[in-house]
Amino acid sequence: MATARKGRELFTILETSADTESSTECDSQDAPLNLSADVKWLEIPNRKPDSDEEEDDDDDEEEAAAADGEGENGVTSTAAAAAETADAASLIAGGGCNIILVTGSNGIKHDEEDYAEDCYYSTSTNCSDTNSNDSDIDFSDLEEEEERRSFFGFEEDLEEDCASPDFWGEPDQVIAIEPFSAASGPQHSLGDEADTRDYFRILFPDSLFEHMVEQTNNYALYRQRRVGKSDPHWHPTDVREMKAYVGLNILMGINQLPDTGMYWASDIFIGNAGFKKTMTSRRFEKLTQYLQLCDRESEPVRGERGYDGLFKIRPLLDVVENTMWDAYTPNRCLTIDKCAIATKSRFSPTQYMSSRPLRKGLTVWMLCDSRSGYCHRTKIHVGKPSDDEAAASLGYRVVSSLVRGLEGQYHHVFMDSFFTSVPLLQRLLRDGLYACGPTQAGRKGYPEVLRPRNVGKLCQGEFYQCQRGNLVATVTRDVKTVSCLSTNSAPGIVGISPGRQQPDTDGEGESDSLDGSGFSLGVPRPLPLLLYQENMRGVDLCDQLRECYQVGRPCKKWWRYFLWFYVNLCIVNAYIILRESRGGAPPAGFNGKQFTQRHFRVRLAQQLIGDYQGARGMERAARKRHADSPIEYGHRLERMSERSRRCRNCTNKGLRHESVFGCKICNVHLCRGGCFSEFHK
């Protein structure tokens, strides 16, 4: 541990590397979690720096001024803060340090113009506070008792007046972080011979395929009864055909074409022989038309008792939510964030998000692993809350429902500013969960002294902190002014990550901004912000894996998007389980160098399809076997019917000719002449 002094002691530098990470520790706490070892740490103690002999004469005057100007929250006075800031600024000018820590507010009032220019949260519309009109999310899958209990818990946490002047104090308290010792990772009993379909079956069991087959057949009969006539092109499906149907939809995400019919095109450069062999285009369209997950005849209408906005996908949610939670035990660090699903449907909860790349879509809240991206739990946005009080506790209820079952295991939860609030972090801390995330400076409970109008214009790397037990509030400036709340990081600790490599100085001497490896030091950031940047990536990792290969085709039925979303999510989770269970080794029979997600999806689709062939596929296989001698196997040109129909061979060539003759074995009409032999070849 090296101490930096220039004029007076201001901070302590803790240098860690890959070789000394295990031996170098901070005196006040263990090394921060999930941070790279090449970060230089600056610890700024919350004590008055050592004074020179010249400053000893002014101690009495400074103490008297501090006593007279003591603020409501125990922060230093305007004169003392200004003096300390001036001393630090002079030290920076001399090359000593570029980090300033002032406990509490500097007490300096600023003009409204300066405040408007520097206040990030005063003009941002990306995140909504507790009174925002964008908080229009409700969860119909939560029981009424659970929602009432979560809301009352929110009110109980607000009863501790976090906005009172005595709530926050100086950042001089020692925080206590219990170690995480729970078992984590994949939970299954598959052996080394397990393949992709076995891992997918953990999350999407065969019982779901059987349920899809049953409800699809029932819905086809239900539609035909409503129309009053039967569908001549429909016949009941089975489990093998349904698995093949899902397998074709998975392959469509890898081999993407603008129109579904192009997979069955006769053009050899566009059409796919595997699709043609599996089932016909008409059969695929009929399965898509009648595909169903619920009993439509028993669906309650809006206003009836037991109405559920997600009734059409409720059987899928009941199964998949349990399998995803049981298949993988959560690791130490978790992420809660929003996921958007692109849609062309007219589902009422569809949101318009102007600040995101996907501006219109369905919203799903996800709890993911920060390291692997595995999705443990999801919640769907289905509409606006019934009243303003429910909207105020929205983020509180969402997080409480997503982390249900993790109490007392000391996980570290990272979330964005939509959720982070003082009541929520207090509730999670009581339940044995630590949390960290940016917040909005205008929310109830955030320290008044750290609001932009009191902090003023910050320099890059400058930050202020307040503390109450494990709860630490931070305001800093990186690219923009950021407000943050955390319960898993000690105050006064700053990390500086290495920046770009600088050219040599050619003997002119090393610059103060360079370390021994020749890399320039980046902007110093407080520990809560560093932890957030390192661990707030779980949902992004899951989205990257999911968005690479979409499953399903666009349609006007909103529930279809959720069906294919969960199928795709199960594929991603199954790939993560396989990768971690086998240590990166591919399954048996794979000859490639690296088993990627694309290989996993292709292999899974092939195993779902198997050797299934529809009626047309078997006919084509028979024609191929008998192509050498069609007459020998009973193929002959004979009269098919009294009514002429289009010649199949001419139709394949884009011509229109009709004939009453054809081949009864192949069940096609053919022109008299060369069409018979040409078709059978």
Side-chain angles (χ1 to χ4, degrees):
M1 182 172 66
T3 303
R5 295 176 179 269
K6 185 162 289 190
R8 59 178 180 174
E9 180 180 348
L10 183 62
F11 60 87
T12 303
I13 300 179
L14 300 180
E15 299 186 4
T16 61
S17 62
D19 299 331
T20 62
E21 182 183 6
S22 59
S23 60
T24 305
E25 294 182 354
C26 178
D27 296 337
S28 59
Q29 66 170 17
D30 295 336
L33 70 159
N34 286 18
L35 285 179
S36 56
D38 56 354
V39 176
K40 289 185 177 294
W41 297 102
L42 309 179
E43 182 181 10
I44 306 180
N46 185 49
R47 67 174 186 270
K48 195 172 183 179
D50 297 336
S51 301
D52 297 332
E53 295 181 358
E54 296 179 357
E55 296 176 347
D56 292 337
D57 298 337
D58 301 333
D59 286 344
D60 297 336
E61 298 178 3
E62 293 179 359
E63 292 178 359
D68 294 337
E70 188 74 10
E72 293 180 350
N73 296 316
V75 299
T76 56
S77 65
T78 303
E84 185 175 357
T85 305
D87 294 340
S90 63
L91 183 62
I92 294 172
C97 179
N98 62 345
I99 301 174
I100 303 174
L101 171 66
V102 180
T103 57
S105 172
N106 55 10
I108 301 176
K109 299 295 183 180
H110 299 269
D111 295 335
E112 292 296 328
E113 296 180 357
D114 296 336
Y115 165 69
E117 292 177 357
D118 219 59
C119 180
Y120 167 63
Y121 290 103
S122 62
T123 58
S124 175
T125 58
N126 298 341
C127 306
S128 57
D129 56 9
T130 56
N131 296 325
S132 174
N133 294 328
D134 295 335
S135 301
D136 56 351
I137 301 173
D138 192 11
F139 297 101
S140 61
D141 56 341
L142 296 178
E143 299 294 339
E144 295 181 359
E145 295 181 359
E146 179 185 350
E147 293 185 356
R148 193 182 305 112
R149 183 166 56 253
S150 299
F151 179 69
F152 288 154
F154 177 76
E155 288 184 333
E156 291 175 359
D157 291 332
L158 287 180
E159 288 178 0
E160 299 183 22
D161 192 3
C162 51
S164 64
D166 300 332
F167 185 83
W168 294 97
E170 294 187 359
D172 55 359
Q173 307 171 36
V174 179
I175 68 171
I177 300 179
E178 298 292 336
F180 175 77
S181 58
S184 59
Q187 305 292 324
H188 61 81
S189 57
L190 299 178
D192 296 336
E193 299 300 326
D195 213 328
T196 55
R197 182 178 174 182
D198 300 318
Y199 288 96
F200 180 72
R201 189 183 288 116
I202 297 176
L203 300 162
F204 203 93
D206 291 340
S207 59
L208 268 179
F209 285 108
E210 296 173 359
H211 180 80
M212 292 170 63
V213 169
E214 179 183 0
Q215 297 302 330
T216 299
N217 291 332
N218 293 340
Y219 181 69
L221 297 177
Y222 168 75
R223 291 294 303 173
Q224 293 176 36
R225 286 197 302 267
R226 291 194 59 179
V227 174
K229 61 180 180 179
S230 61
D231 189 346
H233 302 294
W234 168 258
H235 60 269
T237 183
D238 55 13
V239 175
R240 288 189 60 199
E241 187 178 37
M242 185 59 66
K243 290 183 178 180
Y245 173 77
V246 174
L248 292 181
N249 278 277
I250 295 175
L251 291 176
M252 286 181 178
I254 299 174
N255 181 20
Q256 299 182 11
L257 293 176
D259 185 70
T260 306
M262 298 180 68
Y263 293 97
W264 285 268
S266 58
D267 192 334
I268 60 174
F269 298 104
I270 299 178
N272 190 302
F275 281 67
K276 299 176 183 178
K277 179 181 177 181
T278 304
M279 66 178 63
T280 63
S281 174
R282 176 178 291 175
R283 183 58 179 172
F284 186 88
E285 293 175 356
K286 287 299 175 181
L287 289 174
T288 303
Q289 176 183 352
Y290 294 117
L291 181 64
Q292 197 63 233
L293 295 174
C294 67
D295 186 5
R296 294 296 301 274
E297 296 185 19
S298 61
E299 180 180 4
V301 298
R302 186 183 298 272
E304 289 186 359
R305 183 179 181 85
Y307 170 77
D308 184 3
L310 300 177
F311 180 83
K312 291 182 175 63
I313 59 172
R314 180 60 58 193
L316 174 70
L317 295 178
D318 293 340
V319 175
V320 174
E321 289 288 348
N322 292 329
T323 56
M324 290 195 307
W325 184 258
D326 297 336
Y328 194 105
T329 305
N331 287 309
R332 182 186 186 186
C333 297
L334 303 172
T335 303
I336 295 178
D337 203 354
K338 176 168 61 175
C339 168
I341 306 174
T343 177
K344 293 183 178 180
S345 64
R346 296 182 179 181
F347 190 40
S348 58
T350 302
Q351 287 187 318
Y352 181 78
M353 300 160 284
S354 59
S355 61
R356 292 182 174 267
L358 181 60
R359 297 190 175 185
K360 181 182 178 181
L362 305 172
T363 299
V364 180
W365 305 107
M366 303 173 65
L367 173 69
C368 295
D369 186 84
S370 297
R371 179 173 57 87
S372 63
Y374 182 91
C375 180
H376 297 282
R377 189 173 280 166
T378 61
K379 293 298 176 184
I380 299 177
H381 161 215
V382 294
K384 295 183 178 181
S386 57
D387 52 11
D388 295 337
E389 292 181 351
S393 63
L394 173 64
Y396 186 97
R397 293 188 296 112
V398 171
V399 176
S400 299
S401 62
L402 288 176
V403 301
R404 187 176 64 254
L406 300 177
E407 294 82 357
Q409 300 183 21
Y410 307 113
H411 291 275
H412 293 250
V413 183
F414 297 86
M415 61 196 80
D416 63 3
S417 58
F418 180 83
F419 305 102
T420 310
S421 63
V422 173
L424 175 61
L425 267 65
Q426 288 180 305
R427 160 72 182 275
L428 295 178
L429 189 61
R430 287 201 306 267
D431 292 342
L433 296 172
Y434 304 103
C436 177
T439 186
Q440 300 182 29
R443 280 191 173 164
K444 182 177 181 180
Y446 193 76
E448 184 68 26
V449 295
L450 299 187
R451 297 181 187 269
R453 62 175 176 271
N454 295 327
V455 173
K457 192 171 185 178
L458 300 177
C459 300
Q460 197 172 31
E462 183 182 5
F463 70 96
Y464 300 84
Q465 289 182 320
C466 289
Q467 184 180 6
R468 179 184 176 86
N470 267 47
L471 184 59
V472 178
T474 306
V475 59
T476 184
R477 182 177 180 83
D478 187 27
V479 179
K480 298 179 180 179
T481 303
V482 180
S483 301
C484 181
L485 290 172
S486 63
T487 57
N488 60 351
S489 56
I493 299 181
V494 181
I496 302 180
S497 301
R500 295 178 300 176
Q501 189 172 8
Q502 301 291 338
D504 297 336
T505 57
D506 297 334
E508 297 179 358
E510 295 184 356
S511 173
D512 294 338
S513 62
L514 298 180
D515 59 5
S517 61
F519 285 90
S520 63
L521 296 181
V523 178
R525 298 181 178 91
L527 180 58
L529 188 58
L530 282 172
L531 293 178
Y532 177 81
Q533 291 175 338
E534 288 288 335
N535 296 281
M536 188 63 184
R537 57 185 178 183
V539 177
D540 295 335
L541 289 175
C542 184
D543 284 345
Q544 288 175 5
L545 293 173
R546 185 179 56 83
E547 291 290 343
C548 289
Y549 308 101
Q550 292 290 342
V551 179
R553 306 293 298 185
C555 62
K556 294 183 179 180
K557 297 182 179 180
W558 62 268
W559 64 269
R560 295 278 180 91
Y561 290 95
F562 286 119
L563 167 62
W564 298 124
F565 168 79
Y566 279 100
V567 171
N568 205 355
L569 195 59
C570 289
I571 296 174
V572 171
N573 285 347
Y575 170 69
I576 295 173
I577 293 176
L578 181 144
R579 184 179 58 187
E580 295 196 3
S581 300
R582 306 180 65 91
F590 179 74
N591 299 324
K593 296 182 179 180
Q594 186 178 5
F595 190 72
T596 63
Q597 185 192 188
R598 175 173 57 86
H599 297 120
F600 181 90
R601 289 176 178 265
V602 173
R603 195 179 182 94
L604 173 62
Q606 292 173 349
Q607 293 177 3
L608 287 175
I609 297 173
D611 58 351
Y612 176 80
Q613 292 183 357
R616 185 65 57 81
M618 291 187 290
E619 292 175 3
R620 287 176 175 171
R623 288 201 306 268
K624 185 176 181 181
R625 289 194 304 267
H626 304 164
D628 295 337
S629 180
I631 304 299
E632 180 181 352
Y633 291 94
H635 295 263
R636 58 179 55 88
L637 187 66
E638 53 187 325
R639 193 178 188 89
M640 295 284 293
S641 62
E642 297 297 331
R643 181 180 178 182
S644 63
R645 296 185 180 276
R646 295 185 62 176
C647 172
R648 177 63 58 84
N649 188 60
C650 294
T651 302
N652 293 339
K653 296 188 295 184
L655 304 176
R656 184 179 181 89
H657 294 114
E658 295 184 355
S659 174
V660 295
F661 296 93
C663 178
K664 290 186 177 181
I665 301 297
C666 300
N667 194 24
V668 293
H669 284 248
L670 297 169
C671 296
R672 303 179 69 178
C675 286
F676 176 80
S677 58
E678 184 178 352
F679 176 79
H680 286 87
K681 289 181 181 180

